[in-house]
Amino acid sequence: MKNFNEMGLPKHLLTRLANMGLETPTPIQAQAVPHAMEGRDVMGLAQTGTGKTFAFGLPLVSAMLEFDGRPNPKTVTGLVLAPTRELAKQISDALRELVEGTPLKVGLVVGGAGINGQINRLARGMDILVATPGRLLDLMDRRAIDLRETEFLVLDEADQMLDMGFIHDLRKIAALIPNERQTMCFSATMAKQMAEIAKTYLKDPVRVEVSPPGKAADKVTQVVHFIAKAEKANLLIELLGEHPDEAALVFGRTKHGSEKLKRQLEQAGFAAASIHGNKSQGQRDKALAAFKSGEIKVLVATDVAARGLDIPLVRHVYNYDLPNVPDNYVHRIGRTARAGADGAAVAFCAPDEMDEFRAIQKVMGIKIPVASGREWEKHEEVKPVRGGGGGQGRGRGRGGKPGGVQGKPRAGKLGQGKPAGGQRRRNRRRGGKSGSRAA
Ligand code: UDP
Ligand code: MG
């Protein structure tokens, strides 16, 4: 499969793709789209930044284009679920680009935005709805949305949707969607969850894997600095100072810590902003927009920005604090080196982060090259002590220059209700099993 026009996509989509300058499918698109076009359930695994959005977006929009008329009030024909508001927005924007010039409607419902407008828009029915699970459930509770005519379900970042914060919501939502549907799941990581996802949500899925799970995008260079917690801010300021005009995304672990770091960076003269759960959605949107436009160069974020966001100019990702879920390392550094660009990922590892560091190296199956310091030894692995004032670890013995002195001893599906009547029909059957997966 070399070209989009060999995939049986409707003419409209080929025109849209051509207008976007896209001619050749990415590997995940080349492998997943034909199966999805046949109506198969698909589980797609491919590195970050390799075009998974259109791997499900193209077959989804193709299917929608085959329906006659408008969806019934409050119904949604194709539902896409994503773990964060920002990602849901990005996906809906990408799908809107695809449906431009057609009568199809792509809706977005996420938390942090007024619910009444969302209720009004849903009242007319949606061809495609992109949603975060929490808000969707809210709307379901208010009877603003009816999933009994939903025929397509997509889980982006599927493994995270199965994690603690989401699994209960997802179960409730999936239970209200007819079993007779097409389901697609995509992520860059889901090795462990694959079997469970397949068993619970998919029917006889085609598994499409483009790279080994956990593999970083090809063009990310990775290094680690072993550094005491108290010195991280200075090292970050120093490293950011080496490329002040390039966009850098800095990941912290906590909301409070990320906010404090953002202030430190501002004091050091950087145009910085932050995104985390303590910010209002308005503030989050503004920060992301300013970062995308280049108005600010440094965005400090918690893992709320780890997955899926596509910000083409991010050249540097700093893991200021290591993620406590090792898979999130793959996702965080996948915010750079997108669509074939290159990027640099720099990790800071304090003594109490050695467990996380080892878990990351294990998941990645690589040894991350050391830029400064050396791996902390057992007796140095100071675990954080609650209220224990002051520094842990000792100084790094660095000479102020990055990559400098090394190795100096440092100091330190249930109810399947009846369709709400008047169900629309597809005017054209696609090949394969589509539309005929009767239970
Ligand atoms: N992109 C591309 N070719 C395509 C579709 C997308 O080069 O056929 C670009 C897209 O504009 C985006 C980047 O690739 O900038 C990553 O796409 P996506 O977010 O879908 O990647 P994912 O991380 O989901 O695999
Ligand atoms: Mg994605």
Side-chain angles (χ1 to χ4, degrees):
M1 201 66 68
K2 292 217 168 55
N3 212 302
F4 280 121
N5 56 29
E6 295 164 55
M7 293 178 153
L9 295 170
K11 201 149 179 276
H12 174 81
L13 281 181
L14 295 177
T15 311
R16 291 300 305 142
L17 288 166
N19 288 346
M20 290 177 218
L22 299 174
E23 247 177 33
T24 320
T26 65
I28 185 70
Q29 293 163 0
Q31 292 192 41
V33 172
H35 292 297
M37 292 291 289
E38 287 184 355
R40 295 285 303 269
D41 280 6
V42 173
M43 175 175 281
L45 192 60
Q47 288 155 265
T48 52
T50 59
K52 292 188 286 293
T53 314
F54 283 177
F56 63 76
L58 292 169
L60 185 64
V61 172
S62 297
M64 297 303 123
L65 286 170
E66 292 180 13
F67 284 93
D68 283 328
R70 298 278 318 129
N72 285 312
K74 295 189 183 180
T75 66
V76 169
T77 312
L79 177 65
V80 180
L81 295 176
T84 67
R85 299 162 183 180
E86 285 81 4
L87 179 55
K89 165 91 168 49
Q90 178 183 300
I91 294 169
S92 71
D93 288 344
L95 297 178
R96 279 176 188 153
E97 274 212 77
L98 290 182
V99 304
E100 207 181 289
T102 76
L104 296 180
K105 293 256 175 307
V106 177
L108 171 69
V109 298
V110 294
I115 201 164
N116 290 326
Q118 295 177 356
I119 292 173
N120 290 337
R121 283 188 291 277
L122 284 170
R124 277 169 261 156
M126 287 287 174
D127 297 286
I128 299 177
L129 184 71
V130 187
T132 48
R135 177 54 62 93
L136 186 68
L137 274 180
D138 251 8
L139 288 159
M140 285 160 60
D141 287 345
R142 293 172 189 234
R143 308 203 173 280
I145 186 167
D146 178 351
L147 298 181
R148 287 176 298 175
E149 293 184 20
T150 300
E151 300 199 16
F152 299 85
L153 173 64
V154 177
L155 305 180
D156 197 15
E157 308 293 345
D159 51 336
Q160 187 175 15
M161 304 302 287
L162 237 64
D163 277 353
M164 266 187 325
F166 291 101
I167 185 65
H168 299 293
D169 291 354
L170 180 59
R171 274 199 200 115
K172 285 188 215 158
I173 293 165
L176 293 171
I177 303 176
N179 275 322
E180 204 183 311
R181 62 170 192 246
Q182 183 177 0
T183 310
M184 296 186 257
C185 294
F186 284 85
S187 187
T189 55
M190 56 174 149
K192 287 185 300 249
Q193 293 91 339
M194 275 204 160
E196 200 185 336
I197 295 174
K199 193 176 70 190
T200 318
Y201 297 101
L202 302 174
K203 266 190 205 153
D204 183 28
V206 188
R207 205 166 123 169
V208 179
E209 259 180 73
V210 165
S211 63
K215 190 170 179 290
D218 288 328
K219 293 190 142 183
V220 193
T221 57
Q222 303 171 56
V223 297
V224 58
H225 294 265
F226 293 100
I227 180 171
K229 190 152 274 169
E231 295 192 34
K232 284 184 173 183
N234 284 335
L235 178 61
L236 179 65
I237 287 165
E238 191 179 304
L239 295 177
L240 288 173
E242 290 174 7
H243 51 77
D245 299 324
E246 294 174 351
L249 186 51
V250 179
F251 284 100
R253 185 175 297 180
T254 65
K255 304 169 204 176
H256 180 72
S258 301
E259 194 55 29
K260 185 174 151 206
L261 180 59
K262 185 212 95 170
R263 284 199 300 270
Q264 282 175 290
L265 295 177
E266 279 177 337
Q267 276 158 15
F270 292 95
S274 63
I275 285 195
H276 51 73
N278 279 353
K279 295 264 171 181
S280 71
Q281 194 54 38
Q283 291 171 317
R284 278 163 64 163
D285 291 344
K286 204 171 145 218
L288 192 58
F291 189 52
K292 279 187 171 167
S293 74
E295 194 184 315
I296 60 141
K297 293 294 175 199
V298 186
L299 184 66
V300 185
T302 55
D303 273 329
V304 73
R307 284 188 180 242
L309 297 187
D310 184 52
I311 309 161
L313 293 173
V314 176
R315 291 290 308 280
H316 308 267
V317 172
Y318 290 95
N319 279 294
Y320 186 85
D321 298 317
L322 296 184
N324 37 17
V325 183
D327 277 352
N328 271 4
Y329 178 83
V330 178
H331 293 282
R332 285 175 172 194
I333 71 173
R335 295 318 101 217
T336 182
R338 300 185 65 75
D342 50 28
V346 178
F348 291 179
C349 178
D352 66 333
E353 293 175 298
M354 279 307 291
D355 287 345
E356 286 86 344
F357 179 70
R358 289 189 196 101
I360 288 164
Q361 291 206 133
K362 196 167 163 216
V363 165
M364 306 290 295
I366 58 162
K367 270 199 126 21
I368 300 172
V370 179
S372 75
R374 58 168 168 72
E375 278 196 33
W376 302 97
E377 310 208 1
K378 260 271 151 329
H379 66 276
E380 296 172 308
E381 291 180 32
V382 190
K383 294 290 167 195
V385 183
R386 267 183 159 268
Q392 75 211 132
R394 293 158 289 167
R396 297 174 71 232
R398 299 173 66 251
K401 279 228 169 106
V405 187
Q406 172 162 357
K408 221 173 172 185
R410 280 143 312 176
K413 266 187 199 194
L414 298 168
Q416 202 186 327
K418 266 204 175 143
Q423 195 170 12
R424 294 181 304 148
R425 293 243 160 75
R426 275 193 203 171
N427 55 19
R428 182 157 55 90
R429 284 255 184 263
R430 289 173 298 147
K433 332 194 313 176
S434 78
S436 59
R437 297 186 328 147

